[in-house]
Amino acid sequence: MRTMLRAGAIALAASSVLLAGGVAAQAAPAAADVTFTVGNLIFEPQQWGHTGSLEVTITNHTDQDVDKAVTVLEPLAGTFDDATGTQGCLIAAPQDGRQAWDCYLGTIPAGESVTVNVVFYSPAAGKPVARRATTSGSIEIDGKTVAFPAVFRSTSGSVANPVAYTPDQTANLTVTTPGNVTLTRQDDGTFAGRIPVTLTGNGDAGHQLLGGQMAAPAGLTDWPYAVDGNCGPGDVDLPVPPGGTGVGCAFFERLAQGQTRTYDWLFTAPADSQPGPLGTATTSGLLNSPLIGAQTDGANKATFTVTIAG
């Protein structure tokens, strides 16, 4: 649902207002037309990050069944999660540093309404004060656009007097390892070993999923991989030792501010490997989003030695 690309653009409303008291905004109706209303988006604090749901109700006032799609522009980069009540979403062209999604509604019978719940996730940690995003999202159907603000409820339960909020624009991760992985002989005579790589989220930049890279030394069997990742060899932004291999992995989950996740990487070597150090490997953690800047301070990288047991 989140991997197909389509070029396109959306006309956005020039301004928006915070909707109070649960009163929904409505696209300007036309006689015998399709109209829609947009509720409020409140990000609720969770154990890790925030979640929010935006209700959109589309009504077919015509005497004909109609097929419609809705374009969702997320209020903050990397926060779109899902749109329940649709038949699937395709990624569209980004706007103003945020991603848009085209979601197909299917057929709306004459005189009936359908409701879609657009789900958002922010990795931001909870705060004792309410916050309001400095950018708004929008819903567009048939060229009509309604903008909606995004408010973060405080950890005390209030949405009153929200302060302006802008999330990080670059990744901010810390990566740690034990510093060495020792490959021991297995029942089939080959060598294998696992090393845990821990990622800690220090910032609140939005992202769709996590990424990991590994630059492994020569002498291994095939290439190392993260046990819980979707991995493959290829170019990496790490120094690959001579004769070694670069590996990239995708982890289909997010990392909230202050949260840690640990992934085991599996290394194997042939049965005739000689005991001793095989070389140095380098690993990194990434936030997979084209809308945020890459981390440059090196804290998201770690090196460790690969050793064959005697």
Side-chain angles (χ1 to χ4, degrees), residues 76 131-135 152 163-169 204:
L76 296 166
R131 290 169 288 174
R132 173 174 168 157
T134 55
T135 52
F152 287 70
V163 299
Y165 167 64
T166 301
D168 293 340
Q169 303 301 302
D204 59 0

Side-chain angles (χ1 to χ4, degrees), residues 100-305:
W101 300 81
D102 288 338
C103 302
Y104 180 54
L105 299 174
T107 300
I108 306 175
E112 296 190 13
S113 299
V114 297
T115 297
V116 172
N117 283 293
V118 187
V119 181
F120 298 90
Y121 175 81
S122 166
K127 298 290 185 182
V129 296
R131 290 169 288 174
R132 173 174 168 157
T134 55
T135 52
S136 297
S138 69
I139 300 293
E140 184 267 329
I141 300 175
D142 286 345
K144 303 170 188 155
T145 301
V146 169
F148 61 88
V151 174
F152 287 70
R153 191 181 301 277
S154 73
T155 51
S156 63
S158 174
V159 294
N161 303 315
V163 299
Y165 167 64
T166 301
D168 293 340
Q169 303 301 302
T170 58
N172 187 356
L173 302 174
T174 299
V175 171
T176 56
T177 75
N180 179 74
V181 57
T182 299
L183 281 54
T184 58
R185 193 173 293 277
Q186 307 298 297
D187 292 341
D188 64 356
T190 64
F191 292 85
R194 295 189 183 201
I195 184 168
V197 177
T198 299
L199 280 63
T200 300
N202 303 313
D204 59 0
H207 53 282
Q208 291 297 322
L209 48 85
L210 292 174
Q213 294 185 347
M214 185 71 68
L220 295 170
T221 303
D222 205 1
W223 38 269
Y225 64 91
V227 176
D228 295 322
N230 185 0
C231 305
D235 294 333
V236 294
D237 298 322
L238 297 172
V240 179
T245 305
V247 180
C249 294
F251 306 107
F252 295 97
E253 52 193 355
R254 287 166 158 133
L255 186 65
Q257 190 172 24
Q259 187 179 21
T260 62
R261 294 191 185 278
T262 299
Y263 303 101
D264 282 354
W265 284 76
L266 178 65
F267 288 72
T268 57
D272 60 357
S273 299
Q274 297 300 306
L278 193 63
T280 298
T282 305
T283 187
S284 67
L286 309 167
L287 298 184
N288 194 327
S289 173
L291 302 178
I292 62 172
Q295 189 165 345
T296 58
D297 63 1
N300 63 322
K301 300 176 183 179
T303 61
F304 56 94
T305 57

Side-chain angles (χ1 to χ4, degrees), residues 28-104:
D33 201 357
V34 174
T35 61
F36 62 97
T37 59
V38 179
N40 299 327
L41 175 60
I42 305 294
F43 279 94
E44 305 287 350
Q46 308 296 320
Q47 180 182 8
W48 298 111
H50 290 72
T51 59
S53 180
L54 180 75
E55 186 174 279
V56 181
T57 300
I58 305 97
T59 302
N60 178 10
H61 298 284
T62 73
D63 58 3
Q64 304 269 334
D65 294 351
V66 295
D67 290 332
K68 294 295 176 183
V70 56
T71 298
V72 180
L73 177 65
E74 59 190 6
L76 296 166
T79 56
F80 177 87
D81 189 61
D82 201 0
T84 62
T86 70
Q87 297 186 12
C89 300
L90 302 178
I91 193 169
Q95 300 180 46
D96 300 325
R98 290 164 291 141
Q99 191 64 61
W101 300 81
D102 288 338
C103 302
Y104 180 54

